[in-house]
Amino acid sequence: MNDYRAILIELLTAIDYNKDKSAFVEEFIKNLQLQSLNNLLLTLPQDKLDNMKQQLLSSSNDAQNSSKIIRSLFSEAQINSSIENASREAVTSYIESIRDVLSPEQEKKVLAIIEKYNSTA
Amino acid sequence: MENPETRPPEESKENPAETAAVNYMRQWKEKVHAGFDHIMGYPDRVINRALDRIPDTTADKIHQKMDKIPTAAPALLSSGLGSAIFYEASRGSLSGTATSSAVTAGILTSFFYARSYFRERQINKDKDKGLNNE
């Protein structure tokens, strides 16, 4: 299985990203987590959402409690599907935001990575 | 407090792609946090962003009133729940395998469409070259 962190680092290397690549990937993951959560929360009916907010306000804000709340509202399949969709949208937007400013050399490298993973998918 | 919306975009004269990547990440972060605030109904944070854009004296008065509104540490909540999403996605698998597969699958689907875009662009470039040579 391909490691998504390695793929993201490869993409950054292709565009000659000289800042902290790991920090970029960590930020990507944090945003992805929250985006997946937002997408899931938007599917909840208002009464369930209100109930969840109430639970959050009246209980401790620790990892165990957060997991318990998430588990009570969504199935593992729903969560995975939300993560996959959020990941697809994020990378699509990312490529769209850089594609018009790539140098010919950078474009060649980005396309080579895309081709490589398309052939292994 | 610095307002990210009025902050000038990062400049990297040597590498516009790096600048675009940095700006993309900053904008996505803003958007995703604003989305969470909106869903969870944290009007105080939304108001705070608006307050950054009005004169201090007026803002102070509004802030004094807002201090009376209870808050639920939204940043902590979003971070805790966000981590829980990744944790719960892999509940039935070992060492986050399911989460990793979901993220990778999303990336690869995106690559599939990106390949079409880049190939089409290359074809158009080649066509333009051909026309110019004629």
Side-chain angles (χ1 to χ4, degrees), chain A residues 8 44 89 98 103 112 120:
Chain A
L8 293 171
L44 287 178
E89 284 164 14
I98 60 166
S103 69
T120 59

Side-chain angles (χ1 to χ4, degrees), chain B residues 69-134:
Chain B
I69 302 171
T71 56
L76 276 175
L77 279 182
S78 63
S79 162
L81 288 170
S83 302
I85 283 288
F86 264 35
Y87 179 77
E88 286 303 313
S90 284
R91 202 188 313 151
S93 67
L94 291 170
S95 316
T97 316
T99 312
S100 190
S101 298
V103 178
T104 307
I107 294 174
L108 296 186
T109 309
S110 167
F111 279 6
F112 179 78
Y113 293 109
R115 179 171 65 167
S116 305
Y117 169 83
F118 281 114
R119 279 183 173 178
E120 201 174 314
R121 189 152 85 166
Q122 195 54 52
I123 291 167
N124 288 335
K125 272 184 193 170
D126 292 345
K127 266 187 199 165
D128 288 346
K129 256 188 213 168
L131 285 176
N132 289 335
N133 289 340
E134 278 174 15

Side-chain angles (χ1 to χ4, degrees), chain A residues 1 6 18-19 30 34 37 43 47 54 66 70 75 100-101 113 119:
Chain A
M1 190 183 62
N18 286 324
K19 296 176 192 292
K30 275 188 203 163
L34 197 51
L37 173 68
T43 67
D47 58 330
Q54 211 48 49
S66 296
I70 295 295
S75 70
D100 291 330
V101 292
I113 293 168
S119 64

